[in-house]
Amino acid sequence: GAVVSQHPSWVICKSGTSVKIECRSLDFQATTMFWYRQFPKQSLMLMATSNEGSKATYEQGVEKDKFLINHASLTLSTLTVTSAHPEDSSFYICSARKSSYEQYFGPGTRLTVT
Amino acid sequence: AQRVTQPEKLLSVFKGAPVELKCNYSYSGSPELFWYVQYSRQRLQLLLRHISRESIKGFTADLNKGETSFHLKKPFAQEEDSAMYYCALSFNQGGKLIFGQGTELSVKP
């Protein structure tokens, strides 16, 4: 199978601090990973496309300076929420693209900013 | 702009009844459509893609380009089908997915 992990599974941080979320493809290489945000009982909103070895592509309305994405290897992408505020509290989900039509999702990371 | 619409937020049926989860999309080109399912406390997983034209867990979905729809159907719902279902559209080779709002399916015994 194809497994994608995320770490941490949940995190609480204070307002103004930064938090890093990792997304790893455990048994395949992924040149492309995606980051989504999901609110309770709502849809997934695509935030950005993470490309290995190049800059991420952000969706309209997503602040690239606030949500820093780094895709340093073929199995790891990180999302750093900088200067977090309570409104950034959400469920963040990553996915990794294995082939042209295969995309596997991580279990998600719940971020709570106090 | 590309958009996916799932008009029903919640669909409740009894076990053994037929179920149809609606999905409409807007895209002028040739889209690739998917259905994803998220069971309670589990991650999102692929259920169907229109190109494969297969039946998974008794579910089928047919792409109707004239009506721009990709409804998900199952003739006899089971309690284990209870989950959130998301219709998604991919419109380029890059794999970017646009999700609908999701429909919560509740199958009662």
Side-chain angles (χ1 to χ4, degrees), chain B residues 18-76:
Chain B
V19 63
E20 181 180 52
L21 289 79
K22 291 183 168 49
C23 172
N24 289 89
Y25 66 91
S26 61
Y27 177 59
S28 56
S30 294
E32 190 161 357
L33 275 297
F34 304 83
W35 275 100
Y36 281 85
V37 60
Q38 188 172 30
Y39 299 103
S40 180
R41 301 183 188 282
Q42 293 188 29
R43 69 187 68 195
L44 205 65
Q45 55 185 285
L46 177 66
L47 181 63
L48 284 177
R49 51 191 293 257
H50 89 269
I51 285 180
S52 60
R53 299 186 63 85
E54 57 191 344
S55 173
I56 303 292
K57 299 185 179 182
F59 285 98
T60 58
D62 290 317
L63 178 61
N64 186 322
K65 290 188 177 182
E67 296 182 358
T68 59
S69 68
F70 188 57
H71 303 327
L72 183 68
K73 301 176 184 178
K74 185 169 183 176
F76 308 103

Side-chain angles (χ1 to χ4, degrees), chain A residues 3-5 32 34 36 38 41-46 49 59 91 93 97 100-101 103-107, chain B residues 9 32 34 36 38 42-46 49 84 86 92-102 104:
Chain A
V3 181
V4 175
S5 70
T32 304
F34 302 92
Y36 297 85
Q38 185 180 34
K41 296 250 179 178
Q42 292 191 35
S43 187
L44 284 78
M45 182 194 78
L46 178 64
T49 302
E59 295 300 303
F91 198 56
I93 300 173
R97 191 176 178 216
S100 61
Y101 64 87
Q103 197 172 138
Y104 295 90
F105 287 79
Chain B
K9 202 165 185 176
E32 190 161 357
F34 304 83
Y36 281 85
Q38 188 172 30
Q42 293 188 29
R43 69 187 68 195
L44 205 65
Q45 55 185 285
L46 177 66
R49 51 191 293 257
M84 281 293 294
Y86 294 94
N92 58 23
Q93 297 301 314
K96 192 162 75 169
L97 290 171
I98 305 298
F99 284 88
Q101 302 91 319
E104 181 180 357

